[in-house]
Amino acid sequence: MAGADNGLKGLKCYLKAIKIHNNEKMEGSGVRRFWLTAVCSIMFVITFGQEKGPDGNTNLLENMMVRIAEIEVEPDYLEEYISILKEEAEASVRLEAGVICIYPMFQKENPNQIRLLEIYADNTSYESHLQTPHFKHYKESTLPMVKSLQLVDMESIDQKTMANIFKKINTQ
């Protein structure tokens, strides 16, 4: 039970950091936002990388769903799109326990090229996310603003080594 208590404390700390992260202004704070997200991700991996899943055997990281959304926004809609996206990302992380991270960013040289790092506890959390009012509002509101969308599912190459890397960074 102590592991579950530690996991809950770690999750609360992680979610608090994400809340701080989502309240940052997007302009002029890219490096700060990047490092805050990195620290949040490290905290999550350290906290849950050793925890067992509901079956008692599966590592929680094995069920995690990671995706990168590659979005091209029509330039005339960029400001409006970013405003709606920020609301959706903040609500998703705040309201949905299974949404670990929705981290929006854009290419410096081409700001209408948006990328989202999406991390969900599992596929069920992702499917549930698609049914929420805030996601449906985002999708319906931004549909005419999006020129193209590609969803790229990602897989960790080496979960054990990644957890060790994050531990090493955390101790320095």
Side-chain angles (χ1 to χ4, degrees):
M1 214 46 168
D5 290 341
N6 288 338
L8 184 58
K9 287 177 187 173
L11 180 59
K12 286 180 181 176
C13 182
Y14 175 79
L15 293 175
K16 183 177 180 182
I18 287 291
K19 184 176 179 183
I20 292 167
H21 159 80
N22 283 333
N23 288 332
E24 292 277 327
K25 290 188 177 176
M26 194 160 195
E27 307 82 72
S29 61
V31 172
R32 187 173 175 193
R33 288 172 60 92
F34 169 80
W35 283 110
L36 184 56
T37 299
V39 169
C40 292
S41 299
I42 290 166
M43 289 168 37
F44 179 81
V45 170
I46 290 169
T47 302
F48 293 102
Q50 307 304 317
E51 298 286 327
K52 298 294 181 187
D55 63 4
N57 296 318
T58 308
N59 182 305
L60 287 177
L61 293 177
E62 291 176 12
N63 293 325
M64 195 175 295
M65 179 182 168
V66 179
R67 169 174 281 168
I68 296 175
E70 299 176 344
I71 305 164
E72 182 177 1
V73 177
E74 295 287 351
D76 294 341
Y77 292 108
L78 186 59
E79 285 185 39
E80 184 180 2
Y81 178 86
I82 287 174
S83 176
I84 296 167
L85 173 60
K86 287 170 66 175
E87 288 177 16
E88 195 281 331
E90 186 279 329
S92 297
V93 172
R94 180 173 42 87
L95 299 172
E96 299 177 63
V99 176
I100 306 307
C101 170
I102 295 184
Y103 183 66
M105 57 199 123
F106 60 89
Q107 292 180 10
K108 286 184 179 183
E109 298 296 321
N110 195 359
N112 64 320
Q113 291 290 328
I114 306 290
R115 300 296 182 261
L116 304 177
L117 171 61
E118 301 177 43
I119 304 175
Y120 303 92
D122 52 32
N123 192 55
T124 303
S125 297
Y126 171 71
E127 294 296 331
S128 176
H129 167 69
L130 297 179
Q131 301 307 313
T132 61
H134 50 269
F135 177 79
K136 288 180 178 181
H137 169 74
Y138 159 79
K139 197 67 174 172
E140 292 166 8
S141 300
T142 62
L143 192 60
M145 302 175 191
V146 174
K147 191 172 183 177
S148 67
L149 166 66
Q150 183 173 355
L151 302 175
V152 181
D153 290 326
M154 305 300 289
E155 187 71 38
S156 173
I157 293 173
D158 185 353
Q159 294 173 355
K160 183 178 179 182
T161 299
M162 288 303 289
N164 290 337
I165 291 168
F166 291 138
K167 285 180 187 177
K168 186 174 182 178
I169 291 171
N170 192 43
T171 61
Q172 294 180 356

